Amino acid sequence: IATNSVRKGYFTYVLANIIAISGTVESVTIDVASGAVACSNAAGITAVLSFALTLWNGGSVKEAACAAIATGIKVMGKGVFIYALTMQLTRDKIINPFATKLLTSAGAVKSVAFVTNPVFAASEKLATSISTSAIANTSMGKAIGLNNVSGKGIICGTVTVAVVFGPALLGLLSGDLSGEEFIAAAGTGAMTLGGSAVGQVLIPIPIVGALVGGFIGGLLGEAVFGNSSSRKKKPEPIPYEMFYILKEEFIDVVMISNLSQEEFNLVVARTISSKGVVDILRKMKKHSDQEQQIRSYARAKVIQPEVIDVLTKRPLVLDSSMSEGLEQMLA
């Protein structure tokens, strides 16, 4: 019997129609609530990580609790905003503010007046043009997913980039942020995006990646080879091509390890700036003539062991520490 399997919903048919229209109070409320649920896990995890990192960087439990709450609220707020705005823009109907009377069908209330959402229509048109273009049907186009581009994906990606990286880019263009400050802000935004469950859209940022890699790579090269002459009066030949591989693997591992400045300096001193770096480079060159195998060796045998050793020396962060920090902050 249907009554044993079907349960009465919380929304009426009329309310469901209103929720499906952008711009109504009901649809915005639902989107904000759904966004809060979607981002709650990411905000919580980010808050815990922020608490731990503050402690590991020498902060007190009170400072760690303040940083955790501030970071959690920031991630939650930004994530909910991205989610709600994306959902509003991806609906095909938007409320007509000039005709807010209820529409009726055969004397029964059906929904509020609406018009076609121009943003949704434009994104669908653009998505169709991209997915049916000549380049989308090539092997390269299919590899990067151009043939499967959707209007909702375009809206989601645009909103996410604008919210996460827009303020930092405006600051750079207006002169309020330096290049290094822009990289730091963009990196923080990327981490926030990576920890959020909003959108499920991959956004490649090659310019930012090149800036970060080039900036760090330049510092590392100067640290290693800039002082090489001071180590030995007659330095032995160095396989420089191996250093570039070691540097790239170093950046890949360290960038995702969230090391403090002291930990970073320690890993540098043990790897790319160590007194035995020349021997390391020679072992890499002798290991194999295949670049991929050399990279695997550099990552697994040189960089990762030192990073893991440094991380294992961090003090444990217990539940009692966070409770103590929250109590001190609230007091």
Side-chain angles (χ1 to χ4, degrees), residues 144-317:
I144 61 178
L146 290 180
N147 58 324
N148 293 321
V149 170
S150 66
K152 292 184 178 181
I154 291 176
I155 293 174
C156 183
T158 303
V159 170
T160 305
V161 171
V163 174
V164 175
F165 303 102
L169 182 59
L170 290 176
L172 177 66
L173 296 177
S174 63
D176 294 335
L177 293 179
S178 64
E180 294 182 12
E181 291 172 332
F182 169 74
I183 292 174
T188 302
M191 290 174 64
T192 302
L193 178 62
S196 176
V198 180
Q200 303 297 325
V201 176
L202 177 64
I203 302 176
I205 313 173
I207 296 178
V208 175
L211 286 174
V212 174
F215 175 71
I216 296 179
L219 293 181
L220 300 184
E222 183 178 355
V224 175
F225 296 118
N227 298 323
S228 61
S229 59
S230 63
R231 294 193 187 128
K232 296 181 180 180
K233 293 181 180 180
K234 295 181 179 180
E236 299 180 21
I238 299 174
Y240 290 96
E241 68 278 8
M242 294 296 104
F243 174 74
Y244 294 118
I245 295 177
L246 183 65
K247 177 195 70 174
E248 291 172 357
E249 296 305 314
F250 177 91
I251 293 173
D252 285 345
V253 175
V254 170
M255 286 288 287
I256 62 174
S257 299
N258 259 322
L259 300 176
S260 66
Q261 185 63 50
E262 182 180 353
E263 293 169 337
F264 175 83
N265 294 337
L266 186 58
V267 174
V268 170
R270 291 182 178 182
T271 55
I272 59 174
S273 190
S274 68
K275 293 182 179 180
V277 67
V278 176
D279 293 332
I280 293 175
L281 298 178
R282 286 175 178 160
K283 288 180 181 178
M284 289 171 53
K285 189 171 185 179
K286 292 179 181 178
H287 177 70
S288 174
D289 57 355
Q290 300 294 323
E291 181 179 340
Q292 188 57 46
Q293 294 182 8
I294 296 174
R295 289 185 177 278
S296 299
Y297 176 86
R299 178 183 290 258
K301 300 297 184 180
V302 181
I303 307 299
Q304 286 181 344
E306 299 299 341
V307 172
I308 293 173
D309 183 65
V310 168
L311 293 178
T312 54
K313 291 180 171 57
R314 287 177 170 180
L316 293 177
V317 178

Side-chain angles (χ1 to χ4, degrees), residues 121-134 136 146-151 154:
S123 65
E124 286 294 319
K125 184 176 180 180
L126 177 60
T128 301
S129 300
I130 294 175
S131 60
T132 58
S133 63
L146 290 180
N147 58 324
N148 293 321
V149 170
S150 66
I154 291 176

Side-chain angles (χ1 to χ4, degrees), residues 94-100 113-115:
I94 187 171
I95 188 172
N96 184 355
F98 303 104
T100 56
F114 59 84
V115 294

